[in-house]
Amino acid sequence: MRRLEGRVAIVTGAASGIGKETAKRLAEEGAAVLITDIQVEAGEATVKEIEEAGGRAAFIRHDVTSEADWEAAMAKASEDLGGVDILVNNAGMGDIKPIEETTLAEWDRTVAIDQTGVFLGMKIAAPYLKRSEHASVINISSIFGTSGGFGVSPAYHAAKGAVRTLTKNVALHWATEGVRVNSIHPGFIATPILEESRDTPIWDGMVQLTPMARLGRPEDIAAGVAYLASDDAAFVTGLELYIDGGYMAR
């Protein structure tokens, strides 16, 4: 079922992990996908995978904290792929220190990528999205955008919480303009970065905290993005979609 035939999607942070699987899923659904990332070689490899599977994709190096990079990404999607119908703000980073040990520079860097990058994406994409008949924005937040987590990583939690509220704010602002805006809140997902902790107490702890007793897969998040991007979600805006194996139901 190709629910996104003829549409163009931009997926940030799509060189690996959740972003990569999201880009692949949207391409499978029929969308042309602009892959953006600071990892050039891995981003181009994602494009190659999509093209070899019969999809259509392109890549641009993109720092989501840069307004100029956002302008360039929008122009490339519009000129090379035919427009912008779907924006997936996925790029992000984490921090692990408690607040007493977090420097201002570390705080600013995490917030710039995880929060300001989402703001810039929606702001600069606005005129492109408003020209689409199927406009959809999906912002990747986190279970820790709602909960306090474990008391560390203050910048990550604050930024993801801001993404949650910003999503609702812009969803209301664009509610009558044909642009839907929703957030996805992943739980513990077995991305390549987390694979390093497999068979360790860290991995086991994440499994124990998840009611379904396993970690999710990047493909699980990609499926949620595909739904929210499609007309199956035509009456859905301002939603928080938790894909977390039951974590937030505790």
Side-chain angles (χ1 to χ4, degrees):
M1 183 175 179
R2 294 168 66 87
R3 295 177 292 181
L4 305 176
E5 196 73 52
R7 303 182 196 182
V8 177
I10 297 176
V11 183
T12 68
S16 62
I18 290 171
K20 178 176 181 176
E21 292 305 320
T22 294
K24 290 167 62 179
R25 175 61 184 266
L26 297 183
E28 289 170 6
E29 296 268 4
V33 185
L34 180 63
I35 309 297
T36 92
D37 209 296
I38 59 171
Q39 301 178 74
V40 175
E41 187 174 335
E44 291 174 342
T46 300
V47 170
K48 185 177 180 181
E49 281 189 45
I50 290 172
E51 291 178 337
E52 288 177 347
R56 185 174 172 223
F59 172 78
I60 188 170
R61 188 189 184 283
H62 178 199
D63 175 354
V64 296
T65 70
S66 165
E67 193 166 1
D69 278 13
W70 270 111
E71 295 281 8
M74 293 298 155
K76 185 174 181 66
S78 181
E79 294 166 12
D80 293 1
L81 299 178
V84 179
D85 303 287
I86 301 159
L87 172 62
V88 183
N89 281 308
N90 167 74
M93 67 169 290
D95 60 322
I96 59 173
K97 297 178 181 178
I99 194 166
E100 296 90 343
E101 298 173 18
T102 300
T103 67
L104 179 58
E106 290 168 337
W107 169 275
D108 286 345
R109 181 61 177 162
T110 300
V111 169
I113 293 172
D114 292 357
Q115 177 179 334
T116 307
V118 175
F119 157 75
L120 286 173
M122 290 193 289
K123 176 181 172 63
I124 295 170
Y128 297 87
L129 291 166
K130 290 178 184 181
R131 290 196 289 267
S132 170
E133 295 182 358
H134 305 279
S136 177
V137 177
I138 300 98
N139 296 323
I140 306 301
S141 180
S142 168
I143 50 174
F144 297 143
T146 304
S147 79
F150 310 113
V152 294
S153 311
Y156 180 81
H157 287 67
K160 291 299 187 179
V163 168
R164 176 194 184 206
T165 305
L166 179 61
T167 297
K168 294 178 182 296
N169 175 265
V170 181
L172 293 173
H173 179 56
W174 286 344
T176 60
E177 297 189 59
V179 184
R180 297 181 297 102
V181 188
N182 297 287
S183 61
I184 289 182
H185 299 251
F188 300 116
I189 307 298
T191 59
I193 293 176
L194 284 186
E195 280 295 331
E196 298 175 7
S197 66
R198 188 180 285 275
D199 299 322
T200 71
I202 294 174
W203 182 282
D204 294 342
M206 290 187 292
V207 170
Q208 290 168 9
L209 286 167
T210 303
M212 291 183 71
R214 64 176 178 83
L215 269 59
R217 304 173 303 144
E219 291 88 343
D220 296 323
I221 310 305
V225 173
Y227 161 67
L228 290 173
S230 77
D231 290 345
D232 287 343
F235 198 52
V236 178
T237 197
L239 174 75
E240 300 170 26
L241 177 58
Y242 290 86
I243 305 178
D244 62 0
Y247 180 91
M248 291 298 294
R250 287 191 183 278

